[in-house]
């Protein structure tokens, strides 16, 4: 079966403003995110890509633009199922405000029980994304062969949930996974099991350097902003 490259969108204006974007329209890449997107074609230059699939949200489409310009033969497919989690009433709010919500403790420690007010549950988010991957695996193998490589551009929580699915981890453990903006995660699927062959690879280890303020113990809902 094919190898899937999961690309998280580049750093967005919501990331730098500390907002939980969700499906809020008009969230674009910031200057750093645009530079990350511009570097993506070079990072993937040695890989043949059979298909490109994207979340419908602007920040993902902007991330893929340089890659698609470099490979005019590729036509992107949009799939709502790999769009961001529907955070409902939490969408557009500051993460610093949300940390005191009682639900945030559930999101961190027991996400399989978390459902966002006016939005969806984290279980539903993982299920739709995993179903999309399985359907695309079958389609890519049928059209391009079992050794094909294809790419999906999606969001932090979606990618983390797909990694958990590939590793056979319960969703309650997915907050232990971290994927930075414009990182690449690679999963090779086989008939019997997937293999995680890259996780959150940015080619940049700046985020591991000590910071003046130590990183928080909790996971950033939606994914963090990456290295400063």
């Amino acid at each position: 079966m094919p190898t899937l490259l999961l690309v998280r969108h580049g750093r967005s204006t919501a990331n730098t403003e500390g907002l939980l974007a969700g499906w809020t329209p008009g969230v674009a890449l910031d200057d750093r995110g645009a530079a990350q997107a511009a570097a993506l074609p070079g990072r993937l230059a040695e890989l043949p890509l059979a298909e490109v699939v994207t979340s419908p949200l602007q920040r993902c489409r902007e991330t893929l633009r340089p890659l698609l310009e470099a490979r005019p033969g590729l036509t992107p497919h949009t799939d709502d199922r790999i769009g961001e989690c529907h955070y409902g009433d939490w969408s557009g709010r500051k993460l610093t405000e949300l940390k005191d919500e009682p639900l945030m403790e559930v999101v961190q420690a027991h996400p399989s029980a978390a459902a966002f007010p006016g939005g969806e549950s984290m279980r539903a988010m993982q299920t739709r994304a995993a179903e999309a991957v399985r359907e695309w695996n079958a389609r890519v193998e049928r059209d391009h062969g079992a050794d094909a490589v294809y790419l999906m551009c999606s969001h932090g929580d979606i990618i983390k949930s797909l990694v958990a699915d590939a590793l056979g981890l319960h969703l309650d453990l997915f907050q232990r996974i971290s994927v930075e903006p414009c990182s690449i995660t690679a999963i090779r699927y086989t008939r019997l099991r997937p293999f995680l062959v890259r996780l959150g690879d940015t080619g940049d280890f700046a985020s591991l350097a000590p910071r003046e303020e130590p990183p928080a113990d909790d996971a950033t809902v939606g994914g963090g902003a990456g290295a400063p």
Side-chain angles (χ1 to χ4, degrees), residues 53-74:
V53 188
T54 182
S55 155
L57 296 175
Q58 178 179 339
R59 53 199 183 271
C60 286
R61 291 186 282 107
E62 289 183 355
T63 299
L64 287 180
R65 188 173 298 149
L67 178 65
L68 295 172
E69 288 174 352
R71 302 196 188 199
L74 283 175

Short mmCIF file of all heavy atoms in Angstrom, two decimals, residues 53-74:
data_model
loop_
_atom_site.label_atom_id
_atom_site.label_comp_id
_atom_site.label_asym_id
_atom_site.label_seq_id
_atom_site.Cartn_x
_atom_site.Cartn_y
_atom_site.Cartn_z
N VAL A 53 -3.55 15.93 -1.63
CA VAL A 53 -4.88 16.13 -1.04
C VAL A 53 -4.75 17.22 0.01
O VAL A 53 -3.76 17.26 0.75
CB VAL A 53 -5.41 14.83 -0.40
CG1 VAL A 53 -6.87 15.00 0.04
CG2 VAL A 53 -5.27 13.65 -1.36
N THR A 54 -5.73 18.11 0.10
CA THR A 54 -5.62 19.20 1.05
C THR A 54 -6.91 19.43 1.82
O THR A 54 -8.01 19.18 1.32
CB THR A 54 -5.21 20.52 0.35
OG1 THR A 54 -5.08 21.57 1.31
CG2 THR A 54 -6.24 20.94 -0.69
N SER A 55 -6.75 19.88 3.05
CA SER A 55 -7.86 20.47 3.79
C SER A 55 -8.36 21.68 3.00
O SER A 55 -7.59 22.34 2.30
CB SER A 55 -7.35 20.92 5.16
OG SER A 55 -8.14 21.96 5.71
N PRO A 56 -9.65 22.00 3.09
CA PRO A 56 -10.16 23.15 2.34
C PRO A 56 -9.74 24.49 2.92
O PRO A 56 -9.96 25.53 2.27
CB PRO A 56 -11.68 22.97 2.43
CG PRO A 56 -11.90 22.21 3.69
CD PRO A 56 -10.72 21.27 3.80
N LEU A 57 -9.13 24.52 4.10
CA LEU A 57 -8.88 25.79 4.78
C LEU A 57 -7.70 26.54 4.15
O LEU A 57 -6.74 25.95 3.65
CB LEU A 57 -8.65 25.55 6.26
CG LEU A 57 -9.90 24.97 6.97
CD1 LEU A 57 -9.60 24.62 8.41
CD2 LEU A 57 -11.06 25.96 6.89
N GLN A 58 -7.80 27.85 4.20
CA GLN A 58 -6.88 28.75 3.49
C GLN A 58 -5.42 28.48 3.83
O GLN A 58 -4.55 28.47 2.94
CB GLN A 58 -7.23 30.20 3.81
CG GLN A 58 -6.32 31.24 3.16
CD GLN A 58 -6.73 32.66 3.50
OE1 GLN A 58 -7.88 32.92 3.89
NE2 GLN A 58 -5.82 33.60 3.36
N ARG A 59 -5.12 28.26 5.10
CA ARG A 59 -3.73 28.10 5.50
C ARG A 59 -3.09 26.85 4.90
O ARG A 59 -1.88 26.83 4.65
CB ARG A 59 -3.60 28.11 7.02
CG ARG A 59 -4.49 27.13 7.77
CD ARG A 59 -4.60 27.57 9.24
NE ARG A 59 -5.38 26.67 10.09
CZ ARG A 59 -6.70 26.77 10.27
NH1 ARG A 59 -7.39 27.69 9.61
NH2 ARG A 59 -7.34 25.96 11.10
N CYS A 60 -3.89 25.83 4.64
CA CYS A 60 -3.36 24.63 3.97
C CYS A 60 -3.17 24.88 2.48
O CYS A 60 -2.15 24.49 1.89
CB CYS A 60 -4.30 23.45 4.19
SG CYS A 60 -4.23 22.76 5.85
N ARG A 61 -4.13 25.54 1.86
CA ARG A 61 -4.01 25.82 0.43
C ARG A 61 -2.81 26.74 0.15
O ARG A 61 -2.10 26.56 -0.83
CB ARG A 61 -5.31 26.44 -0.09
CG ARG A 61 -6.47 25.45 -0.09
CD ARG A 61 -7.73 26.00 -0.74
NE ARG A 61 -8.45 26.92 0.14
CZ ARG A 61 -8.50 28.23 0.01
NH1 ARG A 61 -7.84 28.81 -0.99
NH2 ARG A 61 -9.20 28.97 0.84
N GLU A 62 -2.57 27.70 1.04
CA GLU A 62 -1.41 28.58 0.88
C GLU A 62 -0.10 27.82 1.08
O GLU A 62 0.90 28.10 0.41
CB GLU A 62 -1.49 29.74 1.87
CG GLU A 62 -2.58 30.75 1.53
CD GLU A 62 -2.60 31.93 2.49
OE1 GLU A 62 -1.84 31.93 3.48
OE2 GLU A 62 -3.40 32.85 2.25
N THR A 63 -0.10 26.86 1.99
CA THR A 63 1.10 26.06 2.21
C THR A 63 1.48 25.26 0.97
O THR A 63 2.67 25.11 0.64
CB THR A 63 0.88 25.11 3.41
OG1 THR A 63 0.63 25.88 4.58
CG2 THR A 63 2.08 24.20 3.63
N LEU A 64 0.49 24.76 0.26
CA LEU A 64 0.75 23.93 -0.92
C LEU A 64 1.04 24.72 -2.19
O LEU A 64 1.54 24.16 -3.16
CB LEU A 64 -0.46 23.01 -1.18
CG LEU A 64 -0.66 21.85 -0.21
CD1 LEU A 64 -1.88 21.05 -0.61
CD2 LEU A 64 0.58 20.95 -0.17
N ARG A 65 0.74 26.00 -2.18
CA ARG A 65 0.86 26.78 -3.42
C ARG A 65 2.26 26.69 -4.04
O ARG A 65 2.38 26.41 -5.26
CB ARG A 65 0.46 28.23 -3.16
CG ARG A 65 0.38 29.09 -4.44
CD ARG A 65 -0.17 30.44 -4.12
NE ARG A 65 -1.53 30.34 -3.58
CZ ARG A 65 -2.05 31.19 -2.68
NH1 ARG A 65 -1.32 32.17 -2.21
NH2 ARG A 65 -3.29 31.03 -2.28
N PRO A 66 3.36 26.90 -3.31
CA PRO A 66 4.68 26.80 -3.94
C PRO A 66 4.97 25.41 -4.49
O PRO A 66 5.59 25.27 -5.55
CB PRO A 66 5.64 27.18 -2.81
CG PRO A 66 4.82 27.99 -1.85
CD PRO A 66 3.46 27.36 -1.90
N LEU A 67 4.54 24.38 -3.77
CA LEU A 67 4.76 23.01 -4.25
C LEU A 67 4.02 22.76 -5.55
O LEU A 67 4.57 22.16 -6.49
CB LEU A 67 4.30 22.02 -3.18
CG LEU A 67 4.42 20.54 -3.53
CD1 LEU A 67 5.88 20.14 -3.71
CD2 LEU A 67 3.76 19.67 -2.47
N LEU A 68 2.79 23.22 -5.64
CA LEU A 68 2.00 23.00 -6.85
C LEU A 68 2.53 23.83 -8.01
O LEU A 68 2.48 23.41 -9.17
CB LEU A 68 0.53 23.34 -6.58
CG LEU A 68 -0.15 22.41 -5.56
CD1 LEU A 68 -1.53 22.93 -5.21
CD2 LEU A 68 -0.23 20.98 -6.10
N GLU A 69 3.08 25.00 -7.72
CA GLU A 69 3.69 25.81 -8.78
C GLU A 69 4.95 25.13 -9.31
O GLU A 69 5.26 25.21 -10.51
CB GLU A 69 4.03 27.20 -8.25
CG GLU A 69 2.79 28.07 -8.02
CD GLU A 69 3.12 29.39 -7.35
OE1 GLU A 69 4.29 29.58 -6.94
OE2 GLU A 69 2.22 30.24 -7.23
N ALA A 70 5.67 24.43 -8.41
CA ALA A 70 6.89 23.72 -8.82
C ALA A 70 6.57 22.43 -9.56
O ALA A 70 7.41 21.92 -10.30
CB ALA A 70 7.75 23.43 -7.60
N ARG A 71 5.34 21.91 -9.36
CA ARG A 71 4.93 20.65 -10.01
C ARG A 71 3.58 20.87 -10.70
O ARG A 71 2.54 20.43 -10.22
CB ARG A 71 4.82 19.53 -8.98
CG ARG A 71 6.11 19.28 -8.21
CD ARG A 71 6.08 17.96 -7.53
NE ARG A 71 7.21 17.75 -6.64
CZ ARG A 71 7.62 16.57 -6.19
NH1 ARG A 71 6.98 15.47 -6.56
NH2 ARG A 71 8.65 16.46 -5.37
N PRO A 72 3.61 21.54 -11.84
CA PRO A 72 2.36 21.89 -12.51
C PRO A 72 1.53 20.69 -12.96
O PRO A 72 0.34 20.84 -13.25
CB PRO A 72 2.82 22.73 -13.71
CG PRO A 72 4.26 22.37 -13.91
CD PRO A 72 4.80 22.05 -12.56
N GLY A 73 2.12 19.52 -12.98
CA GLY A 73 1.36 18.33 -13.37
C GLY A 73 0.45 17.81 -12.28
O GLY A 73 -0.39 16.93 -12.54
N LEU A 74 0.61 18.31 -11.05
CA LEU A 74 -0.22 17.85 -9.94
C LEU A 74 -1.46 18.71 -9.79
O LEU A 74 -1.38 19.94 -9.77
CB LEU A 74 0.58 17.88 -8.63
CG LEU A 74 1.60 16.77 -8.39
CD1 LEU A 74 2.36 17.05 -7.10
CD2 LEU A 74 0.91 15.41 -8.31
#
